[in-house]
Amino acid sequence: MIGTITDKRINMDLDKVREIDSDVAYYIDEELERQQNTIELIASENFTSPAVMQACGSVLTNKYAEGKPHKRYYNGCEVIDKIEELAQKRACELFRMDHANVQPHSGAQANMAVFFALLKHGDSVLSMDLSNGGHLSHGSPVNFSGMYFNVTQYGVDENGCIDYDNVREMALQCKPKLIICGASNYSKIIDFKRFREIADEVGAILMADIAHIAGLIAGGVHPSPAGYAQIVTTTTHKTLRGPRGGIIMCDEEYAAAIDKAVFPGIQGGPLEHIIAGKAVALKEALQPSFKEYAAQIVKNAKAMAQGLLDNGLDIVGGMTENHLMTLDLRKTGKTGKDMANVLERVGITANKNTVPNDPQSPFVTSGIRLGAAAMTTRGFKEDDMREVARIIAEAIKNSDDEQILDELRQDSLKLCKKYPLY
Ligand SMILES: *Cc1c(COP(=O)(O)O)cnc(C)c1O
């Protein structure tokens, strides 16, 4: 054993791990304790349910099931088929799309499969720039998508908003075969209808990557891309609150190409235990209570944003319209890198992020991205989020005062204890 864990209150049954490998069991306990005792504001994270975790930890991990339901390359898939079909059916119902492929191992894999299905080497793509809130897998120069395709990228204006007229201009110029909307750090509502109009005007296919906002769309608090985007990709582990993974949904006419691109195009055997976890999470997201959850995420994000503004801090684009926001630290003279570490010091986990026209490098940055989805899962309400905002503001203001930081660490711990995790 490496040490002693003070809070071993776990719901997951680790008996067998403990028997075989006390090191890994200890680290899982340790990670649980970290999750229990810190305020999680990383906008892409969430706490999935014990039901989802049990499905993911099941015997389904033993099965090879290359291919699709009823068209497998292995025998013995009759049970697996039922599970995968359930996940597909629920994804289609939840997001009102014709077809779902639930096999992508992650969001990046889902996007890679779409590129592989629809584009040829060198084809033209229009997407959002990473430093403006886009995702690596949308054509960043360091990703395969940026290396093998001819990518043009749009950004946001100084108010943190997409300038749709500018996107249209760029589309007319670069004549893309694929337009991608959807982001990793964008706090405003995305106008899918407008994107489709632009795509139609230039003869492009529209892909909406809803990785971040899938739970908000499922809960009806963000407009849906259904009816506008021919292709919709998502992760399952962000606001959707499922296991780590990806899903691709599309209009019927693209179904065969998408399925072929996932397998045999870029993946081998699907992770059927994770697909079972996706099915469980999708069932949870179809319940009326998920609508309440999604609505509370947005209320909580707004309460946190208002609290930060009231404490004299700036937010890119002002008030958020979804689950996340970027704190703009430029006028404080402090950096995202340093302040993210200060927040960690007081028990708040968040990530540094660039702001539009950031004077600092992407490694240092002038911003911090903050999200409300994970703490909403724990039960935080508006008052709690205002208290979180106060702790953040005090920590940034007093970032050199160890005694104040100690006190703030106790304040954040008190909030965590109020809403136990698992
Ligand atoms: C998180 C994210 C992804 C990638 O998801 P991974 O599961 O980490 O590969 C893709 N697109 C967007 C917009 C994201 O936010």
Side-chain angles (χ1 to χ4, degrees):
M1 285 296 275
I2 301 115
T4 21
I5 289 279
T6 49
D7 185 1
K8 249 192 176 178
R9 199 183 50 77
I10 50 166
N11 282 350
M12 279 174 295
D13 189 355
L14 290 177
D15 290 4
K16 300 297 172 190
V17 184
R18 248 180 267 289
E19 240 174 82
I20 300 287
D21 188 338
S22 60
D23 292 336
V24 166
Y26 181 86
Y27 292 141
I28 296 175
D29 284 342
E30 200 177 20
E31 172 60 12
L32 175 66
E33 188 178 58
R34 188 195 67 80
Q35 292 183 15
Q36 282 168 333
N37 295 330
T38 51
I39 293 176
E40 183 57 72
L41 298 183
I42 294 179
S44 50
E45 292 194 11
N46 211 330
F47 302 110
T48 201
S49 70
V52 167
M53 288 191 285
Q54 278 184 3
C56 294
S58 68
V59 295
L60 301 171
T61 194
N62 298 332
K63 192 71 197 97
Y64 244 116
E66 282 180 355
K68 16 188 209 182
H70 310 294
K71 281 191 197 126
R72 304 283 192 184
Y73 290 79
Y74 289 82
N75 286 79
C77 290
E78 61 274 15
V79 183
I80 294 292
D81 284 354
K82 290 189 263 190
I83 294 169
E84 192 169 328
E85 280 181 326
L86 206 50
Q88 289 174 316
K89 191 174 127 270
R90 288 174 181 166
C92 290
E93 184 185 343
L94 187 62
F95 293 104
R96 294 185 288 114
M97 296 290 292
D98 293 346
H99 176 74
N101 186 309
V102 295
Q103 294 187 356
H105 301 330
S106 73
Q109 296 298 97
N111 291 343
M112 186 182 204
V114 174
F115 275 68
F116 196 55
L118 304 179
L119 305 173
K120 286 200 183 61
H121 192 259
D123 275 351
S124 186
V125 175
L126 178 62
S127 64
M128 191 183 226
D129 169 53
L130 177 65
S131 67
N132 279 263
H135 191 261
L136 272 173
S137 59
H138 294 182
S140 157
V142 297
N143 185 264
F144 103 100
S145 58
M147 293 176 190
Y148 294 173
F149 302 93
N150 183 12
V151 181
T152 304
Q153 298 203 296
Y154 56 89
V156 292
D157 61 21
E158 60 278 17
N159 298 317
C161 296
I162 294 168
D163 177 344
Y164 292 91
D165 291 331
N166 178 245
V167 173
R168 177 174 172 270
E169 289 299 321
M170 292 177 104
L172 289 167
Q173 283 276 317
C174 72
K175 296 247 168 289
K177 211 165 159 186
L178 178 70
I179 297 181
I180 304 177
C181 61
S184 298
N185 189 21
Y186 187 64
S187 66
K188 305 293 178 184
I189 298 289
I190 296 171
D191 189 345
F192 296 117
K193 180 166 181 282
R194 189 75 204 278
F195 266 110
R196 176 60 185 265
E197 285 163 6
I198 296 167
D200 281 349
E201 192 177 349
V202 300
I205 296 170
L206 180 64
M207 165 180 143
D209 179 348
I210 60 169
H212 259 268
I213 53 175
L216 305 184
I217 292 168
V221 294
H222 188 292
S224 169
Y228 300 116
Q230 292 99 325
I231 314 278
V232 175
T233 60
T234 187
T235 58
T236 44
H237 49 276
K238 298 179 183 175
T239 54
L240 194 57
R241 210 163 61 179
R244 310 199 73 76
I247 298 180
I248 306 172
M249 291 164 284
C250 60
D251 290 351
E252 195 54 51
E253 71 172 293
Y254 300 100
I258 290 291
D259 287 349
K260 220 170 89 189
V262 174
F263 175 86
I266 66 161
Q267 289 190 173
L271 311 176
E272 294 294 344
H273 53 309
I274 303 299
I275 289 174
K278 289 174 187 173
V280 174
L282 289 163
K283 175 154 188 184
E284 290 175 348
L286 282 161
Q287 307 308 310
S289 59
F290 198 84
K291 287 200 164 54
E292 281 165 41
Y293 167 61
Q296 190 64 48
I297 295 176
V298 178
K299 282 190 223 163
N300 280 353
K302 290 187 171 173
M304 177 160 63
Q306 194 57 55
L308 293 166
L309 294 168
D310 292 347
N311 277 285
L313 290 166
D314 292 336
I315 292 170
V316 174
M319 184 48 67
T320 174
E321 295 176 351
N322 57 21
H323 63 299
L324 62 72
M325 67 210 74
T326 305
L327 196 53
D328 182 345
L329 295 166
R330 278 178 295 189
K331 81 171 181 212
T332 69
K334 298 178 181 181
T335 67
K337 177 169 177 269
D338 289 345
M339 291 310 104
N341 290 335
V342 166
L343 292 188
E344 185 167 355
R345 164 84 171 74
V346 301
I348 294 177
T349 318
N351 60 284
K352 66 185 173 194
N353 221 110
T354 48
V355 299
N357 306 314
D358 203 316
Q360 302 285 353
S361 76
F363 190 71
V364 177
T365 81
S366 302
I368 297 180
R369 187 181 67 157
L370 304 168
M375 295 323 277
T376 305
T377 296
R378 279 188 77 156
F380 277 39
K381 294 285 186 323
E382 290 95 316
D383 280 348
D384 306 304
M385 298 310 283
R386 278 188 283 273
E387 169 68 354
V388 172
R390 181 194 67 84
I391 297 171
I392 292 172
E394 298 269 322
I396 291 169
K397 194 159 70 187
N398 302 289
S399 59
D400 295 325
D401 189 325
E402 292 299 324
Q403 197 192 329
I404 292 181
L405 295 181
D406 280 339
E407 285 165 22
L408 293 170
R409 175 66 186 110
Q410 290 311 310
D411 292 343
S412 69
L413 201 54
K414 209 187 295 168
L415 269 180
C416 292
K417 297 285 182 203
K418 197 170 147 195
Y419 301 99
L421 174 66
Y422 300 124

